[in-house]
Amino acid sequence: MNADKQPEARVMISIVIPAHNRPAYLLEAVKSITEQNYHNFEVVVIDDGSTPAIEKAPLQAMLGEHLKLIRHNKGLGIPKAKNAGIKAASGEVILLLDDDDLLSPDALHTIGTSFTEQPELDCIFMGVEPFGPYAANPKKNRETAINKILSRLNPEENNGLYHFSSELFYELLHSVPIDFQRPAARRGTWNIVGRFDENAPYSESTWAIRAATMCTVALTKKPLNLWRIHDSNFGWPEGKSPHQIKTGQIDVAITTANQLLTDTLKQRQNINTRIKALKHQRAEFLFAKAFYLRDKDWLEGLKSLSAAFFVKPQPVHLKLAVKYLIAPQMTTKTNKQKSTLP
């Protein structure tokens, strides 16, 4: 089927672009969106303290009513800018696009159709294709990292997607390839997993690990995100020795691990609290059954009362137990009285 004649999926997609001082690249990113064969979208541009401020007119000319432009008077950083865009987005699906990256021509159609046809999916990570003058090594490293995960996990392939099991979590703990830092997720997923950690150096990696823990995720086989590698987003930090760079990388890894551990412990605490609440609810229903069966099915009712007492003993259980113990005696006495009647 011709791409221009493909049926439009119903889901609305919000593309969030955090932008800072790269107006020419930003226009290229927006142009890649206007060239999509999918039209149910909005673009949320977060001007994170650009100097001068991003001009609305060129973007408006390209996007029309699809544009939302939000200005931060001072730069707050990438995680905060992304979170602001997610909060402002109104689409059913929200994806992130860096202001110097591009979308492949069928990116939105693939995302929209996949979410429409596969309702079990919570998050789709977008395959990445590096490009630009320094792209050779990142491309090789990316392919090695992705192939390593695919060979170890052997994910199910369905409609152009790799579907991963919960085992993905353990792989991402060791390394988060760039593809898993390019999420497109349902609105509800952003609420469940949470937004980007605004204090983490690499918040996208931490978010990917949390999503792999909590959600049903997939990765597109085709590259949907075109990752521009250039002199201002690739290379060693200026003014630092190899020793400082290495120790900085280790410190970032430790910080990320600490944050993930804290998040997991909170999740476990929440799960334990919910398990306790569910057990108590079950005990209440067992007690209600025992109360109802007191004079209808003595043995079954006593079993329910015992089960309720075992889960969460309460004084009211003892009171009902006394009535159960009296009930057989009362029944025997009544039967004897009936037998003596003329």
Side-chain angles (χ1 to χ4, degrees), residues 18 41 53 106 134 154 269 333:
F41 68 85
D106 60 346
Y134 306 98
N154 192 26
Q269 182 179 6
K333 182 178 180 181

Side-chain angles (χ1 to χ4, degrees), residues 295-313:
D295 55 358
K296 297 177 178 63
D297 189 335
W298 185 88
L299 182 59
E300 187 64 27
L302 188 60
K303 289 180 180 179
S304 296
L305 180 59
S306 299
F309 184 83
F310 180 78
V311 174
K312 186 183 179 182

Side-chain angles (χ1 to χ4, degrees), residues 153-171:
L153 299 183
N154 192 26
E156 177 186 351
E157 297 182 34
N158 183 18
N159 291 332
L161 301 178
Y162 295 113
H163 290 253
F164 290 93
S165 68
S166 58
E167 294 298 310
L168 177 64
F169 166 78
Y170 300 102
E171 292 296 324

